[in-house]
Amino acid sequence: MKNGIALITGATSGIGEACADKFFNAGYSLILTGRNQKRLDELKEKYNALTLCFDVRDREATQKALASIPAEMSAIDVLINNAGLALGLEPEFEGDYEDWDTMLDTNIKGLLTVTRTIVPGMISRNHGHIINIGSVAGDAAYANGAVYCASKAAVKTLTDGLRIDVAASEVRVTLLKPGLVETNFSRVRFHGDNERADNVYKGITPLTGADIADAALYAAQAPAHVQIAEMLILATHQANGSTIVRK
């Protein structure tokens, strides 16, 4: 028996791919988006999913792709706005303009485009759940990460604002704020420097994408009268965005 339809952005790796696996095994039909066509083809076969290849930074391409969803898959029950990234780790006064543009266009404007396109249908059906993937980095800035932290602070504010805007409906809104999660996140941040990326996770047992997917599924499967508004998920030896005890 199907639980409904879940649309997951950034589904080709990390938290997004883990969410695809968890929601598929919970009985959801999947719409998976990403930029890597080869990975999407693999996920399409694995999960019998509808896949859409586009970059959320491209508003026109995003709207066109989402408009192509067939009628039988268009009543989306869960939207997981997962597409996002960090680039660079340097002082704000030395930051790379292109890195900034990519982060802000993906983490903020891309999320807005998908939300603006999908949520009106939820409102018209008076049913749906938006799960935004934020970060502990959105709670407070840390050294050399100001722009990424600012983008995730924006995700928190946008999520809170959306929850207010849909409060008269049955639509629910959740913000998940992961801490240190071992995915390809750091490899992307450090532009493929694997050694530097691996050092991020040394001396601590980090979270996995599956841990965050568990939280997303928990929120989605809560009783209809229960709205998990926000969840902060940290590794045991991480206290906040900048306090990590390594052993």
Side-chain angles (χ1 to χ4, degrees):
M1 180 177 178
K2 292 297 183 181
N3 264 328
I5 298 168
L7 191 162
I8 305 167
T9 68
T12 57
S13 65
I15 293 171
E17 184 177 0
C19 284
D21 190 68
K22 292 288 182 181
F23 277 74
F24 175 79
N25 286 314
Y28 284 82
S29 299
L30 301 180
I31 303 172
L32 306 178
T33 87
R35 296 177 296 165
N36 186 325
Q37 184 65 63
K38 181 180 178 181
R39 286 292 296 125
L40 286 172
D41 290 343
E42 293 168 354
L43 295 172
K44 179 177 183 177
E45 182 174 352
K46 182 176 182 179
Y47 298 121
N48 192 29
L50 171 65
T51 57
L52 303 170
C53 188
F54 62 89
D55 188 333
V56 296
R57 292 180 295 167
D58 186 331
R59 181 176 296 162
E60 184 177 350
T62 300
Q63 292 172 326
K64 182 177 179 180
L66 296 178
S68 74
I69 296 172
E72 64 270 19
M73 293 285 286
S74 62
I76 293 163
D77 298 282
V78 179
L79 166 61
I80 302 180
N81 275 316
N82 166 73
L85 76 170
L87 289 172
L89 191 67
E90 61 276 306
E92 187 174 333
F93 57 85
E94 295 178 355
D96 182 277
Y97 289 107
E98 290 187 9
D99 284 353
W100 291 354
D101 286 343
T102 300
M103 283 188 284
L104 297 176
D105 288 346
T106 304
N107 298 356
I108 302 174
K109 293 166 69 176
L111 179 146
L112 279 170
T113 298
V114 176
T115 299
R116 177 67 180 83
T117 306
I118 297 300
V119 174
M122 292 182 172
I123 296 297
S124 68
R125 295 187 297 275
N126 199 32
H127 172 78
H129 194 158
I130 303 96
I131 301 175
N132 289 338
I133 307 299
S135 171
V136 64
D139 286 347
Y142 55 71
N144 302 324
V147 176
Y148 174 68
C149 293
S151 75
K152 289 302 186 178
V155 170
K156 172 176 170 50
T157 302
L158 292 170
T159 306
D160 289 346
L162 180 61
R163 192 180 303 110
I164 294 166
D165 292 341
V166 304
S169 74
E170 299 298 322
V171 176
R172 300 184 293 181
V173 182
T174 296
L175 175 65
L176 300 183
K177 301 190 299 185
L180 199 64
V181 184
E182 187 169 12
T183 62
N184 66 346
F185 175 89
S186 291
R187 288 176 175 79
V188 172
R189 167 168 248 172
F190 297 129
H191 300 281
D193 186 335
N194 290 337
E195 182 178 355
R196 191 177 180 192
D198 289 342
N199 284 335
V200 172
Y201 310 107
K202 282 189 175 179
I204 187 172
T205 302
L207 301 168
T208 67
D211 296 324
I212 310 308
D214 281 338
L217 186 62
Y218 171 79
Q221 293 191 326
H225 71 286
V226 176
Q227 180 170 218
I228 307 299
E230 184 170 307
M231 198 183 303
L232 176 64
I233 309 138
L234 301 175
T236 297
H237 297 292
Q238 178 178 17
N240 55 35
S242 57
T243 304
I244 300 170
V245 178
R246 301 178 188 274
K247 298 183 177 181

